[in-house]
């Protein structure tokens, strides 16, 4: 069917009155010819319209609101490839500043001007990088000692997010899990230690368990590991998966030790796009010190004009999220983040309280350390 009005650029016909709107949207083959941008836009928009109201999505796990200036800044950076540090060196500097700020929120002891960390597309990539670093450090130590390094494992609770299953499958690292129960709602440090041996690359406590919103007790785990490492001569470290908690604890519970203040916590990951308050996808991973990021994880490329050292599974990515994160740090400051997190947690606690008064329901836990909780039918 010929859509004359649009073919000849005379847009007298309304988009919804055009012949093209009667054609089915392509499923298998690219259409033979072009259509106008108005129609293409409307077709894509309408196909997703009913479902793309993220502010109505209470289980999205990512940021659904940023102010107009943040949105403008991010839209303006949507076509900037972050990785091209030669062309956009200030973006790289801003990335470094974000890593510094995140590292300092987590009490990094690293003295250098630029802290050791990496931007990621989300917590998944950030967790992978933390896990891989632990694996390589373990492998290098075993190699040096002339010991076998073909059976690595890591320990985590059954409340793990799917990324840890991917980590285990893709890198062939055995995942040993400590069960969560209604009695033991978070990772039991002693049970975790029982699963450790000379092949354990790390233990992974979670701050803001995806399914329950609870925090594993990293301080108790650190103490238990310290005793175990002293007894066995092993060096089993901790990677904290702080996807949600990484941006809650520093603001609402700064006294609580779960971060680099603890001896065996060598790396931490979080989602900038969760309580970091930036649109998806953004994650951060930080190491306690440069020595804990194996050299083999930094890759060098020079085809973009200069030598670039890069840590990450991904390569090209938009600069928008990095600028959005930096904007939020400047815009909100510590106080502003604290206010937002406090309000989110207060709303969450109110709902938690109300749910408890409803006859069929019972809360999974009386604690609400993060703006996230689970309840069940009695
Ligand atoms: C504890 C935990 N780890 C990792 C992830 C993966 O995060 P992302 O979606 O940012 O990749 C999530 C996401 O919900 C999570 O809750």
């Amino acid at each position: 069917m010929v859509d004359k009005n649009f073919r000849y650029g005379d847009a007298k016909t309304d988009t919804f009155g055009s012949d093209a709107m009667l054609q089915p949207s392509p499923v298998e083959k690219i259409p033979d010819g072009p259509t106008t941008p108005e129609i293409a836009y409307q077709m894509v928009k309408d196909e997703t319209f009913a479902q793309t109201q993220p502010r109505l999505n209470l289980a999205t796990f990512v940021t659904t609101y940023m102010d107009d200036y943040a949105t403008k800044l991010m839209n303006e950076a949507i076509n900037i490839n972050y990785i091209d540090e030669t062309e956009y060196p200030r973006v790289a500097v801003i990335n470094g500043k974000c890593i510094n700020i995140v590292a300092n929120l987590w009490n990094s002891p690293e003295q250098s001007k630029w802290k050791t960390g990496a931007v990621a597309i989300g917590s998944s990539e950030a967790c992978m990088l933390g896990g891989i670093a632990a694996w390589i450090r373990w492998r290098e130590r075993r190699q040096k000692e002339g010991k076998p390094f073909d059976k690595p494992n890591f320990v985590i609770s059954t409340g793990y997010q799917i990324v840890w299953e991917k980590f285990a499958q893709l890198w062939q690292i055995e995942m040993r899990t400590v069960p969560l129960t209604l009695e033991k709602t978070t990772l039991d440090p002693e049970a975790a230690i029982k699963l450790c041996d000379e092949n354990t690359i790390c233990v992974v406590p979670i701050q803001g368990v995806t399914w329950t919103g609870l925090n594993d007790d990293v301080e108790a785990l650190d103490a238990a590991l310290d005793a175990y490492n002293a007894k066995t001569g092993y060096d089993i470290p901790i990677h904290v998966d702080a996807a949600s908690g990484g941006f809650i604890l520093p603001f609402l519970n700064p006294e609580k030790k779960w971060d680099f203040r603890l001896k065996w916590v060598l790396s931490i990951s979080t989602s900038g796009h969760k309580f970091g308050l930036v649109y998806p996808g953004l994650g951060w991973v930080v190491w306690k010190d440069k020595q804990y990021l194996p050299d083999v994880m930094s890759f060098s490329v020079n085809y973009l004009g200069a030598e670039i050292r890069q840590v990450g599974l991904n390569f090209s990515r938009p600069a928008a999220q990095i600028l959005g994160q930096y904007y939020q740090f400047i815009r909100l400051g510590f106080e502003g983040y604290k206010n937002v997190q406090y309000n989110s947690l207060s709303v969450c606690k109110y709902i938690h309280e109300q749910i408890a008064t409803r006859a069929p329901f019972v809360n999974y836990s009386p604690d609400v350390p993060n703006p996230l909780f689970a309840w069940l039918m009695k």
Side-chain angles (χ1 to χ4, degrees):
M1 235 187 296
V2 177
D3 181 10
K4 284 202 184 104
N5 286 324
F6 280 98
R7 266 188 65 180
Y8 298 109
D10 174 6
K12 276 187 290 196
T13 305
D14 184 80
T15 297
F16 291 102
S18 68
D19 286 343
M21 275 309 241
L22 276 187
Q23 308 303 316
S25 56
V27 177
E28 287 171 355
K29 275 182 61 200
I30 187 167
D32 290 338
T35 189
T36 64
E38 294 85 352
I39 291 175
Y41 170 85
Q42 207 61 53
M43 286 178 83
V44 179
K45 188 80 189 168
D46 285 0
E47 188 161 341
T48 55
F49 184 74
Q51 297 151 14
T52 43
Q53 312 294 328
R55 301 282 309 280
L56 299 178
N57 180 356
L58 292 180
T60 172
F61 269 91
V62 292
T63 297
T64 55
Y65 171 80
M66 293 177 79
D67 70 32
D68 289 346
Y69 280 98
T71 307
K72 175 173 147 63
L73 188 68
M74 288 184 68
N75 281 338
E76 288 164 0
I78 204 160
N79 56 356
I80 298 172
N81 189 2
Y82 152 75
I83 202 70
D84 200 345
E85 293 186 1
T86 324
E87 286 298 320
Y88 315 118
R90 281 321 287 185
V91 175
V93 171
I94 287 180
N95 186 57
K97 294 199 272 186
C98 286
I99 291 170
N100 279 352
I101 291 170
V102 173
N104 283 323
L105 280 174
W106 298 339
N107 297 293
S108 163
E110 193 172 12
Q111 291 304 312
S112 63
K113 179 167 181 220
W114 298 105
K115 313 281 185 229
T116 305
V119 64
I121 216 77
S123 268
S124 301
E125 188 188 3
C127 289
M128 288 270 182
L129 292 170
I132 291 168
W135 174 39
I136 295 174
R137 289 196 308 265
W138 167 84
R139 205 172 63 192
E140 286 177 347
R141 204 174 48 248
R142 299 281 293 175
Q143 269 168 321
K144 228 185 257 161
E145 293 167 354
K147 292 183 177 156
F149 50 90
D150 58 339
K151 290 196 168 54
N153 69 69
F154 70 103
V155 178
I156 194 166
S157 86
T158 48
Y160 63 81
Q161 206 264 0
I162 197 73
V163 62
W164 292 107
E165 214 169 309
K166 292 185 194 172
F167 175 68
Q169 293 271 6
L170 298 178
W171 274 268
Q172 291 292 292
I173 298 173
E174 184 195 350
M175 178 165 65
R176 297 184 174 172
T177 55
V178 179
L180 294 183
T181 63
L182 286 177
E183 289 72 44
K184 281 256 180 266
T185 53
T186 58
L187 177 76
D188 176 8
E190 288 311 323
I193 297 293
K194 282 203 184 104
L195 296 179
C196 290
D197 59 25
E198 61 179 336
N199 292 317
T200 303
I201 63 167
C202 65
V203 182
V204 182
I206 300 167
Q207 300 300 277
V209 172
T210 321
W211 317 102
T212 65
L214 299 178
N215 292 336
D216 291 333
D217 187 344
V218 192
E219 194 171 8
L221 176 68
D222 188 71
L225 260 181
D226 197 39
Y228 179 73
N229 283 337
K231 193 175 79 186
T232 56
Y234 304 154
D235 259 346
I236 301 174
I238 294 172
H239 172 87
V240 185
D241 175 355
S244 292
F247 272 105
I248 295 292
L249 283 156
F251 300 106
L252 297 187
N253 206 347
E255 305 307 320
K256 191 174 167 66
K257 289 196 183 136
W258 64 278
D259 54 14
F260 292 123
R261 285 168 289 184
L262 299 175
K263 180 174 172 186
W264 293 99
V265 174
L266 300 191
S267 52
I268 305 175
S269 52
T270 196
S271 297
H273 58 209
K274 291 192 174 83
F275 296 104
L277 307 180
V278 180
Y279 292 140
L282 183 69
W284 300 105
V285 55
V286 176
W287 285 271
K288 193 175 215 161
D289 189 89
K290 195 167 182 298
Q291 61 175 300
Y292 302 117
L293 173 64
D295 286 342
V296 294
M297 285 178 70
S298 298
F299 290 88
S300 203
V301 286
N302 61 12
Y303 77 85
L304 293 172
E307 188 83 353
I308 294 170
R309 302 288 297 169
Q310 201 244 341
V311 177
L313 299 177
N314 225 64
F315 191 61
S316 299
R317 72 183 82 220
Q321 285 75 11
I322 295 163
L323 302 195
Q325 182 76 83
Y326 194 53
Y327 170 89
Q328 291 290 54
F329 288 151
I330 296 173
R331 161 76 185 104
L332 296 171
F334 189 90
E335 204 59 37
Y337 264 93
K338 190 173 167 181
N339 292 339
V340 173
Q341 317 303 39
Y342 177 83
N343 284 0
S344 298
L345 192 64
S346 301
V347 170
C348 187
K349 282 183 173 167
Y350 173 77
I351 300 171
H352 182 263
E353 254 170 50
Q354 292 298 313
I355 292 278
T357 65
R358 304 295 193 268
F361 303 129
V362 58
N363 282 318
Y364 177 71
S365 164
D367 304 324
V368 190
N370 295 292
L372 169 73
F373 71 97
W375 71 91
L376 41 135
M377 302 285 276
K378 271 181 192 157

